[in-house]
Amino acid sequence: MNTDTAPNKKVHQGRNIKRLREMLGIKQESLAFDLGVSQATVSDYEQKEALDEKILEKVSQALKVSVDAIKNMTDENLTNFFQSFYDNSSLNYQCTFNPIDKIIELYSEKEELYKQLLKDKDILIEKLSKDSN
């Protein structure tokens, strides 16, 4: 009998929390802050194979994932979860303006602001020199 396809694979909830947190780019300190616990407590959660239902609910809300994702995610379905989690249509973003034109526009604005700053500086120097005489 092949045990690789057995449906009763152990799920390590703490490890799943860590994976989700890391994939979402969230640090332990940030998650701890959102949960109102210490960073060491989050580290402890990530070491436990099974967690209390209330903790799982709080963590799932903080990470914005379902409790089922934490409870049921295995190595095999981890990739599928994230492929469905993110909308791939955002990868086909079409720019509605020419980026080079925007750079030129910003440069021109910067140049005008610099000219105004120099003009204001000259006025201030003139005022200060009049006041000192």
Side-chain angles (χ1 to χ4, degrees):
M1 177 178 246
N2 188 353
T3 57
D4 289 341
T5 58
N8 297 357
K9 287 192 174 189
K10 280 276 189 190
V11 173
H12 195 287
Q13 294 173 352
R15 193 175 306 128
N16 285 347
I17 290 170
K18 180 178 180 177
R19 287 178 182 159
L20 289 164
R21 177 183 59 74
E22 289 175 344
M23 289 180 153
L24 294 168
I26 298 171
K27 295 186 178 225
Q28 278 186 341
E29 294 84 3
S30 297
L31 181 57
F33 179 80
D34 290 343
L35 297 174
V37 298
S38 68
Q39 178 270 327
T41 301
V42 171
S43 181
D44 289 343
Y45 291 166
E46 292 179 353
Q47 301 303 313
K48 293 184 180 180
E49 188 171 326
L51 292 159
D52 182 67
E53 192 69 28
K54 288 181 182 179
I55 294 171
L56 289 175
E57 287 176 23
K58 285 183 179 181
V59 171
S60 73
Q61 289 172 356
L63 294 177
K64 296 178 177 62
V65 298
S66 69
V67 173
D68 287 338
I70 297 170
K71 284 180 164 183
N72 301 320
M73 188 171 17
T74 62
D75 291 339
E76 293 81 23
N77 65 17
L78 181 65
T79 304
N80 292 336
F81 172 76
F82 272 95
Q83 284 176 346
S84 65
F85 187 72
Y86 290 105
D87 179 16
N88 290 335
S89 65
S90 64
L91 299 175
N92 296 324
Y93 176 75
Q94 295 295 318
C95 195
T96 58
F97 59 86
N98 184 344
I100 302 297
D101 289 342
K102 284 292 182 186
I103 291 171
I104 292 170
E105 182 182 325
L106 289 171
Y107 183 79
S108 296
E109 286 177 20
K110 178 182 169 186
E111 190 174 7
E112 288 302 315
L113 287 170
Y114 186 67
K115 286 178 185 178
Q116 184 63 44
L117 183 63
L118 289 174
K119 184 179 174 184
D120 291 346
K121 179 193 77 137
D122 291 341
I123 292 170
L124 182 60
I125 289 173
E126 187 179 319
K127 282 182 181 181
L128 291 173
S129 64
K130 284 182 183 178
D131 289 342
S132 64
N133 289 335

Short mmCIF file of all heavy atoms in Angstrom, two decimals, residues 87-95:
data_model
loop_
_atom_site.label_atom_id
_atom_site.label_comp_id
_atom_site.label_asym_id
_atom_site.label_seq_id
_atom_site.Cartn_x
_atom_site.Cartn_y
_atom_site.Cartn_z
N ASP A 87 -4.87 37.02 -7.34
CA ASP A 87 -5.53 37.16 -8.63
C ASP A 87 -4.47 37.42 -9.69
O ASP A 87 -3.82 38.46 -9.67
CB ASP A 87 -6.53 38.32 -8.57
CG ASP A 87 -7.23 38.54 -9.88
OD1 ASP A 87 -7.20 37.67 -10.76
OD2 ASP A 87 -7.83 39.62 -10.03
N ASN A 88 -4.31 36.47 -10.61
CA ASN A 88 -3.27 36.61 -11.63
C ASN A 88 -3.56 37.70 -12.65
O ASN A 88 -2.69 38.08 -13.41
CB ASN A 88 -3.07 35.27 -12.35
CG ASN A 88 -2.42 34.25 -11.45
OD1 ASN A 88 -1.73 34.60 -10.51
ND2 ASN A 88 -2.67 32.98 -11.71
N SER A 89 -4.81 38.21 -12.67
CA SER A 89 -5.11 39.25 -13.65
C SER A 89 -4.31 40.52 -13.38
O SER A 89 -4.09 41.32 -14.29
CB SER A 89 -6.61 39.56 -13.64
OG SER A 89 -6.98 40.11 -12.40
N SER A 90 -3.89 40.73 -12.15
CA SER A 90 -3.11 41.93 -11.84
C SER A 90 -1.72 41.88 -12.48
O SER A 90 -1.06 42.90 -12.59
CB SER A 90 -2.98 42.10 -10.32
OG SER A 90 -2.24 41.03 -9.78
N LEU A 91 -1.30 40.71 -12.92
CA LEU A 91 0.00 40.59 -13.57
C LEU A 91 -0.02 41.17 -14.98
O LEU A 91 1.01 41.45 -15.55
CB LEU A 91 0.44 39.13 -13.61
CG LEU A 91 0.62 38.46 -12.25
CD1 LEU A 91 0.94 36.98 -12.44
CD2 LEU A 91 1.70 39.14 -11.44
N ASN A 92 -1.21 41.35 -15.54
CA ASN A 92 -1.34 41.85 -16.90
C ASN A 92 -1.72 43.32 -16.91
O ASN A 92 -2.49 43.77 -17.74
CB ASN A 92 -2.41 41.03 -17.65
CG ASN A 92 -2.00 39.59 -17.79
OD1 ASN A 92 -0.84 39.30 -17.97
ND2 ASN A 92 -2.96 38.70 -17.70
N TYR A 93 -1.15 44.08 -16.02
CA TYR A 93 -1.46 45.50 -15.90
C TYR A 93 -0.96 46.25 -17.12
O TYR A 93 0.19 46.10 -17.52
CB TYR A 93 -0.82 46.07 -14.63
CG TYR A 93 -1.01 47.54 -14.47
CD1 TYR A 93 -2.24 48.06 -14.08
CD2 TYR A 93 0.03 48.42 -14.72
CE1 TYR A 93 -2.43 49.41 -13.93
CE2 TYR A 93 -0.14 49.78 -14.57
CZ TYR A 93 -1.38 50.27 -14.17
OH TYR A 93 -1.55 51.61 -14.03
N GLN A 94 -1.82 47.04 -17.72
CA GLN A 94 -1.45 47.85 -18.87
C GLN A 94 -1.32 49.31 -18.44
O GLN A 94 -2.25 49.89 -17.92
CB GLN A 94 -2.51 47.73 -19.98
CG GLN A 94 -2.64 46.35 -20.58
CD GLN A 94 -1.37 45.93 -21.31
OE1 GLN A 94 -0.77 46.73 -22.01
NE2 GLN A 94 -0.96 44.70 -21.13
N CYS A 95 -0.16 49.87 -18.66
CA CYS A 95 0.11 51.25 -18.28
C CYS A 95 -0.67 52.17 -19.22
O CYS A 95 -0.66 51.99 -20.43
CB CYS A 95 1.61 51.51 -18.39
SG CYS A 95 2.13 52.99 -17.57
#
